[in-house]
Amino acid sequence: MIYKLCLAAALTLISFNLSAAPAEAEEESDYNKCLQASKEFTDDETAICMSGEVKRLDKAIANLYQNTFLKVERIKKWNNGNGMFRGNIKDMQDQFNSYRSRFCSFYATTMEIYSGSQMYLRNECMMKLTTEYYQRLSQMAIDFDADLD
């Protein structure tokens, strides 16, 4: 039980440390509200909260591509498509989602001996991978910010 509380606290801190826009920051607090509302703080309740956070991060990633990266001419040219609906960015995002799904399913199956909930392990993995991906993209956006002016 202590392990679960420590893990939830760590995931909450990770969630707060994301570089999100003000509108996304409001949605981000939904994850913490969900954790606080969990009556018994079971693995499955926590997994449901993680699933909502993954969905929020997926939307934030799509917004970052659409509203930041695709405003730069050289990235539009590299994308060779129509925004998020075609091209290299869509293909890259689809491949990331496929990798994330398969890897986290494998992770949950492998690590099941440490926890009784595959859903918890899978969503924990998905949240971690998605958070790391979002943070990398956010840093890339900061690093090339001079091109956006």
Side-chain angles (χ1 to χ4, degrees), residues 104-137:
C104 291
S105 177
F106 172 68
Y107 173 82
T109 300
T110 303
M111 302 305 287
E112 187 177 20
I113 61 172
Y114 298 108
S115 172
S117 174
Q118 274 207 354
M119 184 170 82
Y120 176 88
L121 290 167
R122 184 175 188 279
N123 288 359
E124 172 191 37
C125 175
M126 291 185 71
M127 188 170 145
K128 182 177 181 183
L129 290 178
T130 309
T131 298
E132 289 170 356
Y133 186 48
Y134 177 72
Q135 288 173 334
R136 283 190 191 132
L137 289 174

Side-chain angles (χ1 to χ4, degrees), residues 31-43:
Y31 173 66
N32 294 314
K33 288 178 185 176
C34 180
L35 287 176
Q36 292 169 358
S38 298
K39 294 179 181 177
E40 296 180 27
F41 210 69
T42 65
D43 284 352

Side-chain angles (χ1 to χ4, degrees), residues 48-66:
I48 291 167
C49 297
M50 289 178 196
S51 178
E53 181 66 0
V54 168
K55 289 176 185 172
R56 186 199 68 79
L57 287 166
D58 283 340
K59 287 179 186 174
I61 289 167
N63 288 337
L64 198 54
Y65 279 130
Q66 195 69 36

